[in-house]
Amino acid sequence: MVAKIIDGKEVAAKVREDCRQRVEALGAFGTRPGLAVIIVGDNPASKVYVANKAKACSEVGLNSKVHAFPAETEEAEVLRLIDTLNHDPSIHGILVQLPLPPNYNVRRILETISRDKDVDGFHLYNVGALAVGSSIFPPCTPYGVSKILEHEHIEVAGQNVVVVGASNIVGKPMALMLMQKDATVCICHAKTRDLAQFTILADILVVAAGRPNLILPQMVKTGAAVIDVGINRLPNGDLVGDVDFDGVSQKASHITPVPGGVGPMTVTMLIENTVQAAERFVGIKG
Ligand code: NAD
C-alpha cells in the first residue's frame, strides 16, 4: 500500500478562505478581528513563529499587533499589558508566545488572559472545557490535526487512536479531542515500555514526541492514517518529523509530510480561533 500524502497547505488554504469570508461578514458589524501577540526575550525560533503568525493574520484580513519585550522585562509589566488588552474592544484574541523567561510564572500569565480572548486555548478554563467536551478555543495544533482528519474524511468514531506524546499543548488535548469524537484512545510517552506494541494497534497514529525516526514501518499497522506533528532539525539542516516518512508511507493509508503537513494548520487554527472570538464578541456565535 502506498499512502496518500496529505497536503496540509491545501487544507489550511480552505480553512483560511472560510475565515476570510467570516472576516468580511464581521465588517457589517463594524468589527475587524484583532489579535495581540506578546513575546518576551529574543528566542530566534519564537521570533520566526511570531512573524509568521502576524503575516498569516494580515493575509486573512485580521488586525494583528505584536508586543515585543526584552528578556529582562518584569513579569508585572506583561501582566499589566494583558489586563489592558483584556479590556480593549479592538482586540479579540491574546496570545503569549512560549517559552517565557525562566523567572516568569507561566501559569499566572496564562490565567490572566481573559478566557474569552484565550485563542491559544491554554487558560485553565479552556483546558477544563476541553476535558468535558465544551471547548470554545481548542489548542491550535491538535485542532489542526482534527481538521485534517475531517478534511480527509478519515472516520474517527470507533477507531483505535494512539497518540505518541503527552504534552499539555499537543498530546493531551489531542487525545481529549479524539476521545470526544468517540475514538478509543491510548496515550504513549517517554516512559511507555515497548512503544511498538501500542502503535501497531492504531488505525490513526498521531505522533508528537520531537524524536526523529521514532516511528518505523514495523511499528505501524497496514492501512493506518499517520499524522506526524514532530518538527526536528537534523545536524545537516534538514527539517524532519518523528516518523520514518519513506518507510511508513509504503504501509499507511494516509501520511502527513514534514514540512507541509500539520505545520501550516497550527497558525491557521489560531486565525480561526481569533475569528471565532470576534464572532462571539459581536454576538453571532455562542
Ligand atoms: P514536549 O517536549 O513538550 O513533549 C514531548 C512528548 O513526547 C512528551 O510527552 C514525552 O514524554 C514524549 N516522548 C519523548 N520521547 C519519546 C519517546 N522516545 N517515545 C515516546 N514518547 C516520547 O513537546 P511538544 O511541545 O508536545 O512537541 C512535540 C513535537 O511536536 C516537537 O517536535 C515540536 O516541535 C512539534 N510541534 C509541532 C507543531 C506544529 O505546528 N507542527 C506544534 C507544536 C509542536
Side-chain angles (χ1 to χ4, degrees), residues 231-243:
I231 303 176
N232 308 287
R233 180 76 65 186
L234 296 181
N236 68 3
D238 286 355
L239 206 60
V240 298
D242 293 350
V243 175

PDB file of all heavy atoms in Angstrom, residues 231-243:
ATOM      1  N   ILE A 231       8.553  18.187  14.734  1.00  0.00           N
ATOM      2  CA  ILE A 231       9.409  19.034  13.894  1.00  0.00           C
ATOM      3  C   ILE A 231      10.814  18.933  14.489  1.00  0.00           C
ATOM      4  O   ILE A 231      11.033  19.316  15.640  1.00  0.00           O
ATOM      5  CB  ILE A 231       8.974  20.518  13.914  1.00  0.00           C
ATOM      6  CG1 ILE A 231       7.521  20.674  13.464  1.00  0.00           C
ATOM      7  CG2 ILE A 231       9.900  21.361  13.044  1.00  0.00           C
ATOM      8  CD1 ILE A 231       7.008  22.112  13.547  1.00  0.00           C
ATOM      9  N   ASN A 232      11.743  18.380  13.720  1.00  0.00           N
ATOM     10  CA  ASN A 232      13.109  18.212  14.211  1.00  0.00           C
ATOM     11  C   ASN A 232      14.094  18.736  13.173  1.00  0.00           C
ATOM     12  O   ASN A 232      13.957  18.439  11.981  1.00  0.00           O
ATOM     13  CB  ASN A 232      13.405  16.720  14.444  1.00  0.00           C
ATOM     14  CG  ASN A 232      12.352  16.060  15.323  1.00  0.00           C
ATOM     15  OD1 ASN A 232      12.310  16.291  16.518  1.00  0.00           O
ATOM     16  ND2 ASN A 232      11.484  15.235  14.727  1.00  0.00           N
ATOM     17  N   ARG A 233      15.063  19.489  13.642  1.00  0.00           N
ATOM     18  CA  ARG A 233      16.121  19.990  12.758  1.00  0.00           C
ATOM     19  C   ARG A 233      17.317  19.044  12.899  1.00  0.00           C
ATOM     20  O   ARG A 233      17.866  18.881  13.983  1.00  0.00           O
ATOM     21  CB  ARG A 233      16.479  21.425  13.182  1.00  0.00           C
ATOM     22  CG  ARG A 233      17.547  22.087  12.372  1.00  0.00           C
ATOM     23  CD  ARG A 233      17.131  22.572  11.002  1.00  0.00           C
ATOM     24  NE  ARG A 233      16.134  23.644  11.013  1.00  0.00           N
ATOM     25  CZ  ARG A 233      15.563  24.112   9.901  1.00  0.00           C
ATOM     26  NH1 ARG A 233      15.850  23.583   8.724  1.00  0.00           N
ATOM     27  NH2 ARG A 233      14.678  25.087   9.970  1.00  0.00           N
ATOM     28  N   LEU A 234      17.698  18.371  11.799  1.00  0.00           N
ATOM     29  CA  LEU A 234      18.834  17.443  11.840  1.00  0.00           C
ATOM     30  C   LEU A 234      20.142  18.231  11.769  1.00  0.00           C
ATOM     31  O   LEU A 234      20.152  19.388  11.317  1.00  0.00           O
ATOM     32  CB  LEU A 234      18.748  16.481  10.659  1.00  0.00           C
ATOM     33  CG  LEU A 234      17.532  15.541  10.623  1.00  0.00           C
ATOM     34  CD1 LEU A 234      17.595  14.622   9.407  1.00  0.00           C
ATOM     35  CD2 LEU A 234      17.446  14.715  11.913  1.00  0.00           C
ATOM     36  N   PRO A 235      21.267  17.606  12.183  1.00  0.00           N
ATOM     37  CA  PRO A 235      22.551  18.316  12.140  1.00  0.00           C
ATOM     38  C   PRO A 235      22.883  18.836  10.735  1.00  0.00           C
ATOM     39  O   PRO A 235      23.530  19.873  10.585  1.00  0.00           O
ATOM     40  CB  PRO A 235      23.563  17.253  12.588  1.00  0.00           C
ATOM     41  CG  PRO A 235      22.767  16.269  13.374  1.00  0.00           C
ATOM     42  CD  PRO A 235      21.376  16.281  12.807  1.00  0.00           C
ATOM     43  N   ASN A 236      22.402  18.157   9.685  1.00  0.00           N
ATOM     44  CA  ASN A 236      22.692  18.630   8.316  1.00  0.00           C
ATOM     45  C   ASN A 236      21.756  19.764   7.878  1.00  0.00           C
ATOM     46  O   ASN A 236      21.787  20.198   6.736  1.00  0.00           O
ATOM     47  CB  ASN A 236      22.627  17.470   7.312  1.00  0.00           C
ATOM     48  CG  ASN A 236      21.202  16.935   7.138  1.00  0.00           C
ATOM     49  OD1 ASN A 236      20.246  17.464   7.716  1.00  0.00           O
ATOM     50  ND2 ASN A 236      21.059  15.875   6.352  1.00  0.00           N
ATOM     51  N   GLY A 237      20.870  20.196   8.789  1.00  0.00           N
ATOM     52  CA  GLY A 237      19.984  21.320   8.484  1.00  0.00           C
ATOM     53  C   GLY A 237      18.605  20.906   7.994  1.00  0.00           C
ATOM     54  O   GLY A 237      17.698  21.733   7.934  1.00  0.00           O
ATOM     55  N   ASP A 238      18.433  19.610   7.642  1.00  0.00           N
ATOM     56  CA  ASP A 238      17.112  19.159   7.158  1.00  0.00           C
ATOM     57  C   ASP A 238      16.066  19.227   8.279  1.00  0.00           C
ATOM     58  O   ASP A 238      16.374  19.008   9.449  1.00  0.00           O
ATOM     59  CB  ASP A 238      17.176  17.703   6.672  1.00  0.00           C
ATOM     60  CG  ASP A 238      17.899  17.590   5.339  1.00  0.00           C
ATOM     61  OD1 ASP A 238      18.261  18.643   4.768  1.00  0.00           O
ATOM     62  OD2 ASP A 238      18.113  16.442   4.899  1.00  0.00           O
ATOM     63  N   LEU A 239      14.811  19.493   7.854  1.00  0.00           N
ATOM     64  CA  LEU A 239      13.694  19.502   8.796  1.00  0.00           C
ATOM     65  C   LEU A 239      12.934  18.188   8.613  1.00  0.00           C
ATOM     66  O   LEU A 239      12.515  17.871   7.496  1.00  0.00           O
ATOM     67  CB  LEU A 239      12.791  20.690   8.433  1.00  0.00           C
ATOM     68  CG  LEU A 239      11.946  21.306   9.530  1.00  0.00           C
ATOM     69  CD1 LEU A 239      12.836  21.824  10.648  1.00  0.00           C
ATOM     70  CD2 LEU A 239      11.121  22.449   8.950  1.00  0.00           C
ATOM     71  N   VAL A 240      12.769  17.412   9.690  1.00  0.00           N
ATOM     72  CA  VAL A 240      12.040  16.141   9.581  1.00  0.00           C
ATOM     73  C   VAL A 240      11.048  16.014  10.732  1.00  0.00           C
ATOM     74  O   VAL A 240      11.160  16.710  11.734  1.00  0.00           O
ATOM     75  CB  VAL A 240      12.996  14.912   9.592  1.00  0.00           C
ATOM     76  CG1 VAL A 240      13.941  14.918   8.412  1.00  0.00           C
ATOM     77  CG2 VAL A 240      13.771  14.836  10.909  1.00  0.00           C
ATOM     78  N   GLY A 241      10.116  15.069  10.578  1.00  0.00           N
ATOM     79  CA  GLY A 241       9.161  14.790  11.644  1.00  0.00           C
ATOM     80  C   GLY A 241       9.676  13.689  12.558  1.00  0.00           C
ATOM     81  O   GLY A 241      10.892  13.485  12.678  1.00  0.00           O
ATOM     82  N   ASP A 242       8.740  12.974  13.183  1.00  0.00           N
ATOM     83  CA  ASP A 242       9.093  11.879  14.097  1.00  0.00           C
ATOM     84  C   ASP A 242       8.949  10.510  13.411  1.00  0.00           C
ATOM     85  O   ASP A 242       9.274   9.487  14.002  1.00  0.00           O
ATOM     86  CB  ASP A 242       8.156  11.892  15.316  1.00  0.00           C
ATOM     87  CG  ASP A 242       8.359  13.109  16.194  1.00  0.00           C
ATOM     88  OD1 ASP A 242       9.338  13.848  15.989  1.00  0.00           O
ATOM     89  OD2 ASP A 242       7.524  13.319  17.103  1.00  0.00           O
ATOM     90  N   VAL A 243       8.414  10.531  12.193  1.00  0.00           N
ATOM     91  CA  VAL A 243       8.086   9.281  11.507  1.00  0.00           C
ATOM     92  C   VAL A 243       9.075   9.058  10.358  1.00  0.00           C
ATOM     93  O   VAL A 243       9.444  10.008   9.658  1.00  0.00           O
ATOM     94  CB  VAL A 243       6.639   9.378  10.939  1.00  0.00           C
ATOM     95  CG1 VAL A 243       6.282   8.156  10.110  1.00  0.00           C
ATOM     96  CG2 VAL A 243       5.635   9.575  12.075  1.00  0.00           C
TER      97      VAL A 243
END
